[in-house]
Amino acid sequence: MTFDPAPLAERIRDIPDFPKPGVVFKDITPLLADPVTFRAAVDGVAERFDGQRIDRVLGIEARGFILAAPVAYRFGAGFVPVRKAGKLPWEIERQEYELEYGTDLLEIHRDAVSPGERVLVVDDVMATGGTAAATARLVEKLGGEVAGLAFLIELTFLGGRAKLPGYEVVSLLQY
Ligand code: AMP
């Protein structure tokens, strides 16, 4: 069956000037609340990697967790959280990444990925691609292989893919 993005797009709400002026926030809560579109989003991401070996599915805090966990379940894979600085309780690996103004840190537990494991990275939105690129770096610091990066929404006008050369990048909806 071909994937129909229209019902998903209908349940994504644009919130102008959130969390700050000039940003149009993609609110996916209506899509998540609807059983048909929630399932379509999870299956839509997973189906693009069907037939591949996926050992871990990594979700990026916080909305990435919501999509990555059921994708992991579907693959029979483990789930791994990547979090903002100071949230993970055990030994961590960290990666700095650039924001519009300044930098921030992303962290992963050092035992979350083992060398040679194939990791699928999942998040709700790819904007500038900085978060995703830092996450891919974390996987590789632990010796893992990035099987791909999957997003519900890609803001193509921000050119995030340029930060992810050589990786398989998929998105269900492009704006
Ligand atoms: P970036 O590093 O610029 O690709 O930003 C990606 C991260 O910021 C993701 O974890 C998204 O959840 C969040 N994000 C960025 N822009 C938006 C947006 N317009 N609407 C919702 N979330 C966004």
Side-chain angles (χ1 to χ4, degrees):
M1 217 178 69
T2 53
F3 177 78
D4 178 12
L8 282 73
E10 281 166 18
R11 287 177 182 78
I12 293 168
R13 201 157 42 195
D14 279 359
I15 312 289
D17 299 319
F18 183 89
K20 57 182 180 179
V23 175
V24 179
F25 188 85
K26 296 288 184 191
D27 174 21
I28 64 167
T29 58
L31 179 153
L32 297 174
D34 180 274
V36 174
T37 51
F38 180 42
R39 174 174 282 177
V42 171
D43 287 346
V45 165
E47 276 162 14
R48 280 162 172 73
F49 293 88
D50 267 352
Q52 295 195 35
R53 196 189 101 215
I54 304 292
D55 301 304
R56 308 260 183 239
V57 181
L58 186 157
I60 302 174
E61 182 175 359
R63 290 176 299 279
F65 295 171
I66 299 164
L67 296 169
V71 170
Y73 182 85
R74 223 192 95 132
F75 276 108
F79 168 78
V80 171
V82 158
R83 302 206 64 180
K84 311 275 166 59
K87 300 280 184 74
L88 288 170
W90 191 64
E91 294 172 25
I92 50 140
E93 193 65 64
R94 62 159 56 110
Q95 179 67 39
E96 197 174 65
Y97 66 108
E98 302 213 353
L99 298 172
E100 198 178 350
Y101 302 103
T103 60
D104 213 341
L105 289 170
L106 285 176
E107 298 181 345
I108 191 169
H109 271 153
R110 287 180 52 202
D111 65 351
V113 173
S114 300
E117 284 183 338
R118 284 174 51 82
V119 180
L120 173 59
V121 175
V122 176
D123 203 359
D124 65 334
V125 175
M126 175 165 66
T128 67
T131 306
T135 302
R137 193 71 205 97
L138 283 174
V139 170
E140 289 163 354
K141 277 182 175 176
L142 297 179
E145 182 192 339
V146 177
L149 300 106
F151 305 90
L152 181 55
I153 297 164
E154 178 178 359
L155 304 180
T156 56
F157 55 91
L158 294 173
R161 276 177 192 252
K163 290 211 179 79
L164 300 165
Y167 294 108
E168 184 169 0
V169 179
V170 305
S171 58
L172 301 188
L173 299 161
Q174 297 82 32
Y175 291 90

